[in-house]
Each structure stands twice: as C-alpha cells, then as structure tokens.
Amino acid sequence: DTGVSQDPRHKITKRGQNVTFRCDPISEHNRLYWYRQTLGQGPEFLTYFQNEAQLEKSRLLSDRFSAERPKGSFSTLEIQRTEQGDSAMYLCASSPHDRPEYYGYTFGSGTRLTVV
Amino acid sequence: TQLLEQSPQFLSIQEGENLTVYCNSSSVFSSLQWYRQEPGEGPVLLVTVVTGGEVKKLKRLTFQFGDARKDSSLHITAAQPGDTGLYLCAAYPVSWEIIFGKGTRLHILP
C-alpha cells in the first residue's frame, strides 16, 4: 500500500493551455474525491466517484473541468483553456468506506498548478 | 451555508508552551475531524470525534467535541517543533463532501 499517488507534483502552464492530472488511489478504495486548495484556504470539494461513476460535482467545477475514472481505479482531472484563477493545489483523496465521516479520507500530496 | 470558523488563524509560540486552537460552527454535525497539513503535502487525519462532550487524546494532543456537537478544540501540551503545520478542522454536511475550516497555521520556535 503506497498511499494515494498524484502526478505531476508541480505543473506550470501558460494561460489558455489544457492540463491533465492523474490520481492513483489506494487500490481497495472504491471512493475517490478531487479537492482544490488555494493559498490561505482549506480544501474545497470538486467532485466524487464511487467506482467508475461520477456521482457528485460541485458548482465550482465549471465546464472547463472534466474528471474521469474509467475503470474504477485511477482518475484524471482535465482543465481546458486554463485561467490564472485556476492556480491552486489540486488534491485527490480516497476512502474505502461509505462512512468517511467516521473513518476519514486518505489524501495524496497534491498537484500544484501555476498558470502564467 | 455551513461554515467552520477556526481561530486563531496564525500562532507562533516557543517550544515547550501549551496552546489551544478552536473550531466553531452554527451547525450541528454527526462528527468532526482534525487534519494536519504540512507544506506541499495533503492533509493527514489526526482524529474523529463523534459524541458530544467526547475527549480524545493522541500523545500530547487533546481533542474535545462540544456538548452540542457544533464546536471543537485542539489542545497541545509542551509543543515541539515537529508540531508545526496547518491544522484543519473538517465536517461532513453530506457523506461524500468534507467542508474544511481555513485552518490554524502553527509555528513552534525551537
């Protein structure tokens, strides 16, 4: 068990470019989450998968954002036509239980995106 | 809107001192969690408190859930430089979404 892995750790991109991040959850965890954290704030919910089904999306997730978990294992988060306001830490988390309010999430180390 | 308000936002103290940080809400939650986050890393779960009035200890850290399940505190005894980090309280308005406070950034001076 190597924990939740995210790739890349850092990404610098020019405004208007597309970027894609990958998350590999803990293998037996069927729930996968994406969060975004900006400086001085706690993480904010973006989207949630149970197995391969994307069950919830935040209103923060504009049309430029899309997430997939094609085989219920790894997940990708793509941002199209990046804007400077997209600069943030993108965190992936996973959990094995349907009661994370008791057992919590395991977070990855995040992908730090800088849009210039 | 359900919010978690944490105080203080920043705290810098000498090694060996005691400290308490707070997490408050106007909403009642079934549980509340504390996470610690170090620079460039994701949050790591420290504890979950479930019952009103519950007290949990993790070595020098003592966590308390308020009787009405709206607030929580974290007390650190004899702080050490290794305690430095961002402490986040978190709750679940629904089972698939955590809401986090803005955190307390703690710096322990050696």
PDB file of all heavy atoms in Angstrom, chain A residues 20-31:
ATOM      1  N   THR A  20      -3.735  18.093 -17.649  1.00  0.00           N
ATOM      2  CA  THR A  20      -4.369  16.883 -17.115  1.00  0.00           C
ATOM      3  C   THR A  20      -3.546  16.366 -15.944  1.00  0.00           C
ATOM      4  O   THR A  20      -2.324  16.271 -16.037  1.00  0.00           O
ATOM      5  CB  THR A  20      -4.464  15.778 -18.182  1.00  0.00           C
ATOM      6  OG1 THR A  20      -5.248  16.262 -19.277  1.00  0.00           O
ATOM      7  CG2 THR A  20      -5.135  14.532 -17.606  1.00  0.00           C
ATOM      8  N   PHE A  21      -4.249  16.037 -14.875  1.00  0.00           N
ATOM      9  CA  PHE A  21      -3.606  15.483 -13.685  1.00  0.00           C
ATOM     10  C   PHE A  21      -4.112  14.057 -13.482  1.00  0.00           C
ATOM     11  O   PHE A  21      -5.256  13.746 -13.791  1.00  0.00           O
ATOM     12  CB  PHE A  21      -3.958  16.297 -12.432  1.00  0.00           C
ATOM     13  CG  PHE A  21      -3.779  17.779 -12.573  1.00  0.00           C
ATOM     14  CD1 PHE A  21      -4.693  18.653 -12.017  1.00  0.00           C
ATOM     15  CD2 PHE A  21      -2.691  18.310 -13.239  1.00  0.00           C
ATOM     16  CE1 PHE A  21      -4.529  20.021 -12.134  1.00  0.00           C
ATOM     17  CE2 PHE A  21      -2.522  19.675 -13.368  1.00  0.00           C
ATOM     18  CZ  PHE A  21      -3.459  20.530 -12.816  1.00  0.00           C
ATOM     19  N   ARG A  22      -3.252  13.254 -12.873  1.00  0.00           N
ATOM     20  CA  ARG A  22      -3.624  11.861 -12.618  1.00  0.00           C
ATOM     21  C   ARG A  22      -3.598  11.569 -11.129  1.00  0.00           C
ATOM     22  O   ARG A  22      -2.749  12.103 -10.398  1.00  0.00           O
ATOM     23  CB  ARG A  22      -2.666  10.926 -13.335  1.00  0.00           C
ATOM     24  CG  ARG A  22      -2.941   9.437 -13.067  1.00  0.00           C
ATOM     25  CD  ARG A  22      -1.998   8.541 -13.792  1.00  0.00           C
ATOM     26  NE  ARG A  22      -2.112   7.158 -13.315  1.00  0.00           N
ATOM     27  CZ  ARG A  22      -2.414   6.131 -14.117  1.00  0.00           C
ATOM     28  NH1 ARG A  22      -2.612   6.324 -15.421  1.00  0.00           N
ATOM     29  NH2 ARG A  22      -2.498   4.912 -13.607  1.00  0.00           N
ATOM     30  N   CYS A  23      -4.506  10.722 -10.687  1.00  0.00           N
ATOM     31  CA  CYS A  23      -4.548  10.260  -9.303  1.00  0.00           C
ATOM     32  C   CYS A  23      -4.693   8.748  -9.274  1.00  0.00           C
ATOM     33  O   CYS A  23      -5.588   8.190  -9.924  1.00  0.00           O
ATOM     34  CB  CYS A  23      -5.728  10.894  -8.567  1.00  0.00           C
ATOM     35  SG  CYS A  23      -6.013  10.211  -6.916  1.00  0.00           S
ATOM     36  N   ASP A  24      -3.827   8.095  -8.521  1.00  0.00           N
ATOM     37  CA  ASP A  24      -3.943   6.659  -8.268  1.00  0.00           C
ATOM     38  C   ASP A  24      -4.314   6.464  -6.802  1.00  0.00           C
ATOM     39  O   ASP A  24      -3.491   6.711  -5.918  1.00  0.00           O
ATOM     40  CB  ASP A  24      -2.636   5.942  -8.582  1.00  0.00           C
ATOM     41  CG  ASP A  24      -2.370   5.832 -10.067  1.00  0.00           C
ATOM     42  OD1 ASP A  24      -1.746   6.756 -10.625  1.00  0.00           O
ATOM     43  OD2 ASP A  24      -2.824   4.845 -10.664  1.00  0.00           O
ATOM     44  N   PRO A  25      -5.547   6.045  -6.529  1.00  0.00           N
ATOM     45  CA  PRO A  25      -5.970   5.885  -5.134  1.00  0.00           C
ATOM     46  C   PRO A  25      -5.388   4.612  -4.531  1.00  0.00           C
ATOM     47  O   PRO A  25      -4.753   3.811  -5.229  1.00  0.00           O
ATOM     48  CB  PRO A  25      -7.484   5.779  -5.252  1.00  0.00           C
ATOM     49  CG  PRO A  25      -7.691   5.110  -6.579  1.00  0.00           C
ATOM     50  CD  PRO A  25      -6.586   5.649  -7.473  1.00  0.00           C
ATOM     51  N   ILE A  26      -5.633   4.424  -3.242  1.00  0.00           N
ATOM     52  CA  ILE A  26      -5.305   3.151  -2.605  1.00  0.00           C
ATOM     53  C   ILE A  26      -6.167   2.079  -3.279  1.00  0.00           C
ATOM     54  O   ILE A  26      -7.374   2.288  -3.496  1.00  0.00           O
ATOM     55  CB  ILE A  26      -5.550   3.242  -1.091  1.00  0.00           C
ATOM     56  CG1 ILE A  26      -4.538   4.227  -0.485  1.00  0.00           C
ATOM     57  CG2 ILE A  26      -5.449   1.881  -0.432  1.00  0.00           C
ATOM     58  CD1 ILE A  26      -4.771   4.567   0.967  1.00  0.00           C
ATOM     59  N   SER A  27      -5.572   0.949  -3.607  1.00  0.00           N
ATOM     60  CA  SER A  27      -6.180   0.007  -4.548  1.00  0.00           C
ATOM     61  C   SER A  27      -7.547  -0.509  -4.114  1.00  0.00           C
ATOM     62  O   SER A  27      -8.426  -0.709  -4.942  1.00  0.00           O
ATOM     63  CB  SER A  27      -5.234  -1.168  -4.804  1.00  0.00           C
ATOM     64  OG  SER A  27      -4.911  -1.810  -3.594  1.00  0.00           O
ATOM     65  N   GLU A  28      -7.764  -0.725  -2.844  1.00  0.00           N
ATOM     66  CA  GLU A  28      -9.051  -1.291  -2.433  1.00  0.00           C
ATOM     67  C   GLU A  28     -10.110  -0.230  -2.124  1.00  0.00           C
ATOM     68  O   GLU A  28     -11.220  -0.552  -1.721  1.00  0.00           O
ATOM     69  CB  GLU A  28      -8.866  -2.189  -1.202  1.00  0.00           C
ATOM     70  CG  GLU A  28      -8.328  -1.500   0.031  1.00  0.00           C
ATOM     71  CD  GLU A  28      -6.815  -1.547   0.140  1.00  0.00           C
ATOM     72  OE1 GLU A  28      -6.143  -1.676  -0.906  1.00  0.00           O
ATOM     73  OE2 GLU A  28      -6.310  -1.432   1.272  1.00  0.00           O
ATOM     74  N   HIS A  29      -9.768   1.057  -2.327  1.00  0.00           N
ATOM     75  CA  HIS A  29     -10.722   2.133  -2.044  1.00  0.00           C
ATOM     76  C   HIS A  29     -11.635   2.350  -3.242  1.00  0.00           C
ATOM     77  O   HIS A  29     -11.165   2.604  -4.355  1.00  0.00           O
ATOM     78  CB  HIS A  29      -9.975   3.435  -1.722  1.00  0.00           C
ATOM     79  CG  HIS A  29      -9.306   3.438  -0.392  1.00  0.00           C
ATOM     80  ND1 HIS A  29      -8.743   4.562   0.153  1.00  0.00           N
ATOM     81  CD2 HIS A  29      -9.136   2.446   0.521  1.00  0.00           C
ATOM     82  CE1 HIS A  29      -8.242   4.261   1.346  1.00  0.00           C
ATOM     83  NE2 HIS A  29      -8.456   2.989   1.585  1.00  0.00           N
ATOM     84  N   ASN A  30     -12.939   2.285  -3.011  1.00  0.00           N
ATOM     85  CA  ASN A  30     -13.843   2.474  -4.138  1.00  0.00           C
ATOM     86  C   ASN A  30     -14.317   3.917  -4.287  1.00  0.00           C
ATOM     87  O   ASN A  30     -14.886   4.290  -5.311  1.00  0.00           O
ATOM     88  CB  ASN A  30     -15.051   1.521  -4.045  1.00  0.00           C
ATOM     89  CG  ASN A  30     -15.891   1.756  -2.807  1.00  0.00           C
ATOM     90  OD1 ASN A  30     -15.585   2.610  -1.975  1.00  0.00           O
ATOM     91  ND2 ASN A  30     -16.972   1.004  -2.683  1.00  0.00           N
ATOM     92  N   ARG A  31     -14.057   4.751  -3.295  1.00  0.00           N
ATOM     93  CA  ARG A  31     -14.473   6.152  -3.377  1.00  0.00           C
ATOM     94  C   ARG A  31     -13.254   7.029  -3.648  1.00  0.00           C
ATOM     95  O   ARG A  31     -12.209   6.878  -3.008  1.00  0.00           O
ATOM     96  CB  ARG A  31     -15.138   6.603  -2.078  1.00  0.00           C
ATOM     97  CG  ARG A  31     -16.494   5.981  -1.849  1.00  0.00           C
ATOM     98  CD  ARG A  31     -17.156   6.588  -0.639  1.00  0.00           C
ATOM     99  NE  ARG A  31     -18.590   6.333  -0.629  1.00  0.00           N
ATOM    100  CZ  ARG A  31     -19.473   7.085   0.002  1.00  0.00           C
ATOM    101  NH1 ARG A  31     -19.077   8.152   0.667  1.00  0.00           N
ATOM    102  NH2 ARG A  31     -20.746   6.788  -0.020  1.00  0.00           N
TER     103      ARG A  31
END
